[in-house]
Amino acid sequence: NAASNLKAHSLPFTPALTSRAQVQRALLALTIPLEALQAVKDRMLQAMRKGLSRQTHAQANVRMLPAYICSTPDGTEKGDILVVELCQSHVRTLRVTLLGDGNQSPQPGCWVMGSSWPPPTMPLQLFDFIAQCLRQFLAGISSPQHRLPLGFVNGTGFSCSDVEGKDVVQLLQSAIKKQELHHVDVVALMNDTVGTMMTCSMRGEPCEVALIVGTGTNSCFMAEAQLVEMAEEISGQMCVITEWGCFGDDGTLSDILTPYDQHVDQESFNPGEKRFEKLVGSLYLGEIVRHVLTALVAEKVLFTGRSVAILRTKDVLKTQQVLEIINNEEGMAKARRVLEALGLQPSEQDCCRVQQICRAVVSRAAALCAAGLAAILSHMCQSQELERLVVNVGVDGELYRGYTRFGEILQSVTGLLAPECMATLLPSVDGTGQGAAVVTAVALRLAAQRHEVDQLLAPLQLSRADLERVQALMRREMELGLGLESHANASVRMLPTYVRGTPDGTERGEFLALDLGGTNFRVLVVRVAQDGIRMASEIYVIPTAVMQGTGEALFNHIIECIMDFQLKQNLLEQVLPLGFTFSFPCQQLGLDKAVLLSWTKGFSASGCVGQDVVQLLREAAQRKQHLGLKVVAVVNDTVGTMMSCGYDDPKCEIGLIVGTGTNACYMEEMRNVGTVEGEQGRMCINMEWGAFGDNGCLDDFFTDFDRLVDEKTINAGKQRFEKLISGMYLGEIVRHILLALVEKQLLFRGKPCPKLQTRDIFQTKFLSTIEIDGLALQQVRAILQDLELQASFEDSLLVQKVCQTVSLRAAQLCAAGLAAVVEKMRENRGLAQLAVTVGVDGTLYKMHPRFSQHLQQMLRDLAPNCTVTFLQSEDGSGKGAALVAAVACRGAEP
Ligand code: BG6
Ligand code: GLC
């Protein structure tokens, strides 16, 4: 074997020992220790980050170019696609037929036909030349006359100056037109790394990284889009082409460069550039070997006494020959044949040494490539916040294909440098052509899908004119609701509350309060003193069975909770006046008399509608022998919220709830309230706007999804406006849209998902989380996973889009309603400009990342003459109910 041969020859002679040492020294220089490789990886990571950041992108060597490709193929792509591949030494044209049977079978449903032409001599005519090639090619295969989409792969790094800075798609398209190929459309333009990634994705699991180790070297991977700052996409993934060939152009690789590398660089046509590529790409490996040999010849260690003039010629040694030399199968014979073919007359020892050198150069290339790959993998792992990344890496290029050891070194060194990542290398079989066809098909499919999705969501997208109409309708319904005659036919009931003013700060006392009808049922004790308000409260659960059982059971339960609270707070001995927030539509006959008009929001306890809820509470107290209950005021939660916020801001004359349900109240002029005697001053009106549209006036705006949601509720046909806006329903709207998308094969690859049939699985809190800005798609995927929905990144993006559409519509409709209110108040008061504060509460308003912003923006737009401040209620409406009770008690005092 080689090593013992060397020993046998060299041992007896001291000079030979020296020569061996010289060879060893050269080999050592070409060997990069693991720590140094680790450092290369770290620097590559740094360089990649520099390329990704908007601030440093311009100076970065590793440019990290966004490829505007946001998904890998899913196997359903189909159709006839033309591909033109521009390589270093040839132009390749292909027609690829994708069969798109939906299966990610290991055998791609695809066949390829192709031919190659030598490249043009004049870069100026490049595109004309390509178009001519295409015409010849199409003539040869009796091309179909239907439209043919074309994908263009550029594997040259493009340096023809005439082309730089111009839209390549345009140039190619017009060249194609000149050839009268009117049925060919240039659809996609891509780098060869992207083509490789896509080709490898066709065979089973998606492939999210690709390397090319051929003439040149480059890589690409699927990055979290929000990290690709140059692309300005905030969600999803985006393929990034690293252009890592230029890594080291700023000198970062100087510690590993050998004098041989420096010679290669100086003799190249672009000295100082593409330093990483010149260590890895096959265009240069032969040259590196040549320079090592030349140096050793000069040291008289190789080919002693023989003619070596040939080694002075640039590029005599091709990478192909280097690979043949290190081919182990035929031992030294192959090496000898290659060297002899070059006109060298090698001894056995020469052959052996040349082989060692070739191996060292190629192994170094593989190890450096591994350092680069490890940097990509670690970056992906970190940015997806994973403990362990499992990923497929597509690899192409003659070095990888031509030398098995290359892949082995690449695999093992990557494992050492990025132990947290598990990469499977997938050799690309058909080159980039098939992948390019897929990218083209994906581009077509996405465009078609986008169109279908847009059509499906269009009815949910309201124009400004739509919103103005909603505002006008709301205004009309408000007038109807206030009028004595028209009141009965109005969908917006405009209920008088007998609350005639907002707090003035003089309220005092200690009160009990109840807060029923939102997410939580609370009992509170509220102390209103000169130095402010102090409160203690307790949350109690109302089981659905009680919500939907008998009225007796419901009010018994409420009394039990009050007693428990009084016990805990040591209040059983006292008779405190009680303010009751009861968040359902009530006809108030006085501050402490409220007849329930209808249940909403999932309540349906029997025997309550038409009854005075204060009376129902008193009866229950009697049943439970609780004697110390003194209800002095019932308020709606909107009123409680307005009063609560009004204590801190005297301008607060509107209350808004966007939670489980939605509603608003505001201070109306008594003269406009036809349903109550008296003309002086103002009264707070509980609009009950949730029922807006129950008379059909909003029918034009309801979509099929809204109708489906409504039909399945316990109050079908009722609270139609609320069902477009509030937390209890938005998740259901989203769920119905998702079902429609699945049915149209636009989501979850059209696979039926039984879980999505379950009512209410998609809670509104998911909407709030899914829409958080900059949330990694991985997290959206995780949320969906928890719901047993297996979503791809594309699916996750689509779900996000649906959520955004639904919540945006809700916020805008709410704005239209509020615009009607503030405009009416402004007109009531005869003001050119109104400044008013809205006290707001409700989980959706508080938790949703965008709702309040959209609402306020739209309101500014629809009511430009009103300056509206939003004050979020922090203490709940119980505090407001206590304040109303305080006013009531004061009124009752002599
Ligand atoms: C609470 C108020 O904070 O918000 C309740 O105290 C109100 O009175 C509720 O009903 C509305 O929001 P949600 O999301 O709980 O329905
Ligand atoms: C429902 C109720 C209403 C309440 C609103 C917000 O619309 O009918 O009274 O204000 O929900 O909780």
Side-chain angles (χ1 to χ4, degrees):
N1 79 12
S4 54
N5 265 346
L6 180 67
K7 250 188 203 158
H9 279 274
S10 51
L11 263 182
F13 311 104
T14 332
L17 259 185
T18 323
S19 77
R20 198 177 75 164
Q22 278 164 313
V23 173
Q24 288 300 331
R25 207 185 50 208
L27 289 175
L28 200 64
L30 292 165
T31 312
I32 310 178
L34 194 63
E35 309 83 76
L37 284 172
Q38 187 73 48
V40 172
K41 172 198 159 182
D42 292 344
R43 286 177 227 156
M44 178 70 92
L45 249 173
Q46 260 171 25
M48 283 169 43
R49 293 205 185 104
K50 200 167 163 186
L52 285 172
S53 146
R54 192 191 314 276
Q55 276 174 345
T56 47
H57 179 81
Q59 305 98 46
N61 293 112
V62 178
R63 288 193 297 166
M64 307 297 277
L65 304 174
Y68 295 92
I69 286 173
C70 303
S71 63
T72 51
D74 68 4
T76 60
E77 295 75 17
K78 65 172 175 203
D80 265 352
I81 316 270
L82 277 178
V83 175
V84 174
E85 207 180 339
L86 179 62
C87 310
Q88 219 85 27
S89 55
H90 61 277
V91 173
R92 201 168 154 232
T93 52
L94 302 164
R95 192 181 88 187
V96 181
T97 305
L98 298 167
L99 305 179
D101 50 10
N103 290 322
Q104 297 230 357
S105 60
Q107 291 305 315
C110 150
W111 59 270
V112 180
M113 237 170 145
S115 46
S116 285
W117 280 269
T121 40
M122 295 288 290
L124 276 179
Q125 290 132 21
L126 186 61
F127 289 97
D128 288 331
F129 175 78
I130 292 174
Q132 280 160 23
C133 295
L134 252 183
R135 200 186 53 194
Q136 278 182 47
F137 173 67
L138 288 175
I141 60 167
S142 63
S143 101
Q145 282 313 298
H146 60 76
R147 301 211 75 77
L148 270 177
L150 178 143
F152 180 60
V153 188
N154 180 8
T156 63
F158 244 74
S159 56
C160 16
S161 56
D162 190 50
V163 157
E164 257 173 280
K166 290 197 184 154
D167 182 349
V168 176
V169 171
Q170 275 302 319
L171 289 175
L172 186 57
Q173 188 73 66
S174 45
I176 288 174
K177 246 203 208 124
K178 271 196 256 165
Q179 297 298 323
E180 303 196 334
L181 299 171
H182 296 295
H183 61 306
V184 176
D185 302 317
V186 184
V187 169
L189 166 74
M190 76 214 80
N191 182 270
D192 53 350
T193 52
V194 178
T196 298
M197 185 169 80
M198 295 296 174
T199 301
C200 293
S201 282
M202 288 291 279
R203 283 175 285 137
E205 284 297 293
C207 168
E208 294 180 22
V209 186
L211 305 183
I212 301 270
V213 214
T215 326
T217 183
N218 198 359
S219 55
C220 73
F221 66 100
M222 295 306 286
E224 292 293 304
Q226 86 263 22
L227 297 180
V228 190
E229 294 178 5
M230 299 307 292
E232 295 186 345
E233 285 279 331
I234 49 162
S235 55
Q237 286 198 308
M238 165 139 336
C239 176
V240 171
I241 303 158
T242 63
E243 292 294 335
W244 74 12
C246 297
F247 175 48
D249 290 6
D250 53 357
T252 33
L253 285 176
S254 54
D255 56 340
I256 60 161
L257 294 177
T258 64
Y260 323 118
D261 300 311
Q262 305 292 23
H263 286 305
V264 172
D265 179 50
Q266 276 147 28
E267 287 176 13
S268 69
F269 72 94
N270 53 352
E273 288 171 25
K274 296 231 163 188
R275 297 312 301 263
F276 188 65
E277 180 157 293
K278 284 174 188 163
L279 300 173
V280 176
S282 67
L283 196 59
Y284 306 95
L285 298 193
E287 278 298 280
I288 302 174
V289 171
R290 185 177 68 84
H291 278 286
V292 182
L293 299 187
T294 311
L296 291 176
V297 165
E299 291 174 35
K300 303 210 176 351
V301 179
L302 273 183
F303 308 120
T304 35
R306 303 189 187 106
S307 161
V308 290
I310 185 76
L311 284 179
R312 266 179 249 130
T313 318
K314 201 178 156 213
D315 293 332
V316 273
L317 197 58
K318 301 280 184 270
T319 298
Q320 199 42 45
Q321 292 159 324
V322 172
L323 294 180
E324 280 169 26
I325 290 173
I326 55 185
N327 176 339
N328 252 342
E329 276 157 33
E330 292 179 49
M332 216 63 74
K334 191 88 188 192
R336 172 176 298 280
R337 238 176 289 146
V338 173
L339 293 173
E340 280 175 357
L342 283 171
L344 297 161
Q345 299 149 351
S347 67
E348 188 76 0
Q349 194 187 43
D350 288 337
C351 288
C352 173
R353 287 177 171 174
V354 171
Q355 202 175 43
Q356 281 181 304
I357 288 158
C358 290
R359 234 174 245 151
V361 169
V362 178
S363 304
R364 183 181 67 157
L368 282 170
C369 203
L373 175 57
I376 293 182
L377 298 180
S378 291
H379 172 86
M380 290 173 80
C381 191
Q382 283 164 21
S383 59
Q384 294 179 35
E385 294 173 14
L386 297 175
E387 267 172 35
R388 190 169 163 70
L389 174 81
V390 180
V391 73
N392 292 318
V393 180
V395 197
D396 205 348
E398 58 171 333
L399 262 187
Y400 178 76
R401 270 185 270 119
Y403 180 45
T404 345
R405 271 296 284 157
F406 193 97
E408 289 164 11
I409 298 172
L410 180 61
Q411 178 88 61
S412 64
V413 177
T414 306
L416 291 173
L417 296 178
E420 76 282 20
C421 306
M422 193 13 231
T424 308
L425 303 184
L426 304 175
S428 161
V429 196
D430 296 305
T432 59
Q434 186 189 325
V438 172
V439 173
T440 311
V442 168
L444 279 178
R445 169 168 63 82
L446 289 182
Q449 283 188 351
R450 244 190 316 265
H451 181 69
E452 267 196 84
V453 168
D454 287 348
Q455 270 189 332
L456 191 108
L457 294 181
L460 292 133
Q461 281 149 353
L462 301 178
S463 66
R464 207 200 126 104
D466 291 333
L467 292 165
E468 276 171 10
R469 234 183 91 209
V470 173
Q471 177 181 348
L473 284 168
M474 175 68 93
R475 174 64 185 260
R476 198 192 67 189
E477 292 292 306
M478 285 170 78
E479 309 281 4
L480 290 176
L482 287 171
L484 186 58
E485 313 278 271
S486 50
H487 174 76
N489 298 321
S491 68
V492 180
R493 291 200 188 93
M494 304 298 279
L495 303 167
T497 65
Y498 296 89
V499 170
R500 290 167 187 274
T502 50
D504 63 6
T506 61
E507 299 79 7
R508 298 284 179 271
E510 191 168 3
F511 306 91
L512 274 181
L514 296 180
D515 186 352
L516 176 75
T519 312
N520 297 307
F521 168 48
R522 280 197 210 93
V523 185
L524 313 85
V525 56
V526 184
R527 298 187 177 91
V528 190
Q530 193 168 9
D531 59 349
I533 295 184
R534 267 165 304 157
M535 304 196 298
S537 72
E538 195 89 40
I539 291 179
Y540 293 90
V541 175
I542 302 196
T544 312
V546 175
M547 274 160 58
Q548 301 181 354
T550 64
E552 275 191 14
L554 173 63
F555 282 91
N556 283 351
H557 179 72
I558 294 173
I559 295 293
E560 279 161 21
C561 296
I562 297 177
M563 287 164 74
D564 177 78
F565 180 77
Q566 286 182 308
L567 186 69
K568 282 187 182 145
Q569 294 287 330
N570 210 3
L571 290 171
L572 270 176
E573 301 307 315
Q574 280 164 283
V575 180
L576 294 181
L578 185 144
F580 185 8
T581 302
F582 184 70
S583 315
F584 301 93
C586 289
Q587 179 77 58
Q588 291 206 239
L589 304 171
L591 251 190
D592 64 347
K593 225 183 191 48
V595 175
L596 177 64
L597 294 173
S598 56
W599 284 116
T600 53
K601 298 181 289 194
F603 277 72
S604 64
S606 60
C608 300
V609 174
Q611 303 295 314
D612 171 13
V613 293
V614 176
Q615 195 51 35
L616 292 178
L617 195 63
R618 285 188 188 128
E619 285 164 12
Q622 264 165 16
R623 282 198 296 275
K624 294 271 159 190
Q625 278 154 20
H626 181 287
L627 302 175
L629 201 69
K630 193 174 119 198
V631 185
V632 296
V634 192
V635 298
N636 186 261
D637 53 354
T638 51
V639 183
T641 300
M642 179 186 82
M643 295 298 277
S644 175
C645 293
Y647 189 77
D648 301 316
D649 178 354
K651 278 223 183 65
C652 182
E653 294 186 275
I654 301 176
L656 172 69
I657 301 282
V658 193
T660 315
T662 182
N663 191 10
C665 72
Y666 72 102
M667 297 306 291
E668 178 59 270
E669 313 304 314
M670 275 300 287
R671 63 168 194 274
N672 293 337
V673 186
T675 48
V676 182
E677 298 274 308
E679 298 291 300
Q680 294 307 305
R682 294 179 183 145
M683 181 178 279
C684 178
I685 297 295
N686 167 16
M687 294 175 67
E688 284 299 329
W689 80 10
F692 177 36
D694 289 6
N695 58 357
C697 69
L698 288 180
D699 283 3
D700 288 352
F701 297 98
F702 298 133
T703 65
D704 291 344
F705 312 114
D706 300 313
R707 279 183 274 273
L708 285 168
V709 171
D710 176 53
E711 278 163 20
K712 292 280 154 33
T713 55
I714 60 169
N715 56 347
K718 298 274 164 9
Q719 300 292 106
R720 299 302 304 270
F721 191 56
E722 179 159 273
K723 286 174 188 165
L724 304 178
I725 295 178
S726 74
M728 192 159 173
Y729 309 98
L730 294 197
E732 275 298 279
I733 304 178
V734 168
R735 186 176 71 85
H736 280 288
I737 300 175
L738 298 186
L739 280 171
L741 287 169
V742 172
E743 201 182 297
K744 285 189 172 313
Q745 316 251 331
L746 296 166
L747 189 68
F748 306 136
R749 302 226 262 134
K751 284 206 188 118
C753 38
K755 196 62 201 231
L756 210 52
Q757 302 285 352
T758 321
R759 255 186 77 187
D760 291 330
I761 53 142
F762 211 90
Q763 290 165 26
T764 302
K765 69 174 182 208
F766 295 131
L767 238 87
S768 295
T769 326
I770 285 174
E771 289 187 55
I772 291 175
D773 248 359
L775 183 76
L777 267 205
Q778 188 70 31
Q779 283 163 281
V780 178
R781 231 171 158 184
I783 295 171
L784 296 173
Q785 195 106 44
D786 284 344
L787 300 176
E788 293 171 37
L789 302 173
Q790 304 300 335
S792 66
F793 278 108
E794 249 179 272
D795 292 335
S796 310
L797 257 186
L798 187 50
V799 171
Q800 218 172 26
K801 182 174 175 153
V802 171
C803 291
Q804 281 160 358
T805 308
V806 170
S807 69
L808 175 67
R809 181 183 68 153
Q812 292 184 333
L813 285 169
C814 192
L818 210 50
V821 175
V822 291
E823 271 299 296
K824 182 162 196 323
M825 289 173 83
R826 187 182 66 78
E827 287 171 27
N828 282 346
R829 301 174 189 193
L831 298 170
Q833 198 72 34
L834 171 81
V836 68
T837 298
V838 182
V840 206
D841 208 340
T843 327
L844 184 61
Y845 184 90
K846 284 180 167 172
M847 304 305 286
H848 193 278
R850 290 290 187 81
F851 192 94
S852 61
Q853 187 191 330
H854 288 313
L855 163 62
Q856 293 176 28
Q857 221 164 26
M858 200 64 229
L859 179 63
R860 271 195 297 275
D861 199 18
L862 293 172
N865 296 325
C866 301
T867 311
V868 184
T869 309
F870 286 78
L871 183 58
Q872 208 163 294
S873 159
E874 300 304 338
D875 307 315
S877 65
K879 173 173 140 186
L883 287 167
V884 175
V887 177
C889 292
R890 192 170 50 197
E893 281 160 14

